[in-house]
Every structure is written in structure tokens, then in C-alpha cells.
């Protein structure tokens, strides 16, 4: 357990950031899942729309440090490839 005042404050800050990051990660995963579900159903229009909504969410998560920027780029690239292959 934290003893000093600064360590206690740091613990509180970390807890707040963790909540924000959890929300961002959850939102990102939801958007990715929507794209994957549209791909599974074979609906190209829905998959394209879902991908356009998911890309900024993924890149924002990378920008905020929730995921690594290369991980986000790789995920976007793979989803884009899957959507274009659907045609």
C-alpha cells in the first residue's frame, strides 16, 4: 500500500486512467467486432460502413496509448483487406 502523499495521489490518478483506458479498449473492440460480424454475414455494404466507423476509433486508441500504433495499423490493414476481398 502507498505510504507517501504523492504515492497515494499517483494511485488515484492511475485508477482514473485505467477506467478511461478500459472504456476506450472496450469501444475499440466493439467496433472491430461489428466489422467482423458484417464480414461473416457477407454484407459488403455493412462491412464497408462498419470499417469506416472502426478505423478512426482504432487509430484514436493508438494515439491515446491504449494499443500500440503498429497493432492498430495492422488491425485496420487486415480488416480492410478482408472487406475488399469480400467483393
Amino acid at each position: 500500500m502507498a505510504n507517501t502523499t504523492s504515492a497515494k495521489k499517483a494511485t488515484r490518478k492511475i485508477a482514473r486512467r485505467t477506467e478511461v483506458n478500459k472504456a476506450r479498449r472496450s469501444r475499440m473492440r466493439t467496433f472491430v467486432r461489428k466489422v467482423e460480424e458484417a464480414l461473416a454475414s457477407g454484407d459488403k455494404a455493412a462491412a464497408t460502413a462498419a470499417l469506416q466507423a472502426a478505423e478512426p476509433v482504432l487509430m484514436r486508441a493508438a494515439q491515446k496509448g491504449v494499443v500500440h500504433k503498429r497493432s492498430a495499423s495492422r488491425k485496420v490493414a487486415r480488416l480492410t483487406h478482408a472487406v475488399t476481398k469480400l467483393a
Side-chain angles (χ1 to χ4, degrees):
M1 187 62 207
N3 290 321
T4 62
T5 310
S6 60
K8 288 176 183 175
K9 180 178 178 180
T11 305
R12 292 193 305 269
K13 285 171 67 176
I14 290 165
R16 283 197 298 267
R17 294 308 315 161
T18 301
E19 286 301 311
V20 171
N21 287 340
K22 273 170 74 172
R24 283 202 178 108
R25 191 175 299 114
S26 174
R27 180 175 164 81
M28 180 189 74
R29 287 177 177 159
T30 302
F31 275 82
V32 169
R33 192 184 68 240
K34 286 178 184 174
V35 177
E36 289 169 347
E37 286 172 355
L39 283 168
S41 70
D43 187 1
K44 185 171 170 71
T48 306
L51 179 64
Q52 284 180 341
E55 186 176 354
V57 174
L58 271 158
M59 298 320 282
R60 196 169 304 118
Q63 197 174 25
K64 299 295 183 183
V66 177
V67 290
H68 196 275
K69 69 176 185 178
R70 289 195 188 116
S71 297
S73 291
R74 183 174 61 244
K75 192 72 170 170
V76 169
R78 286 178 179 171
L79 289 172
T80 304
H81 180 71
V83 170
T84 54
K85 209 168 89 170
L86 199 60

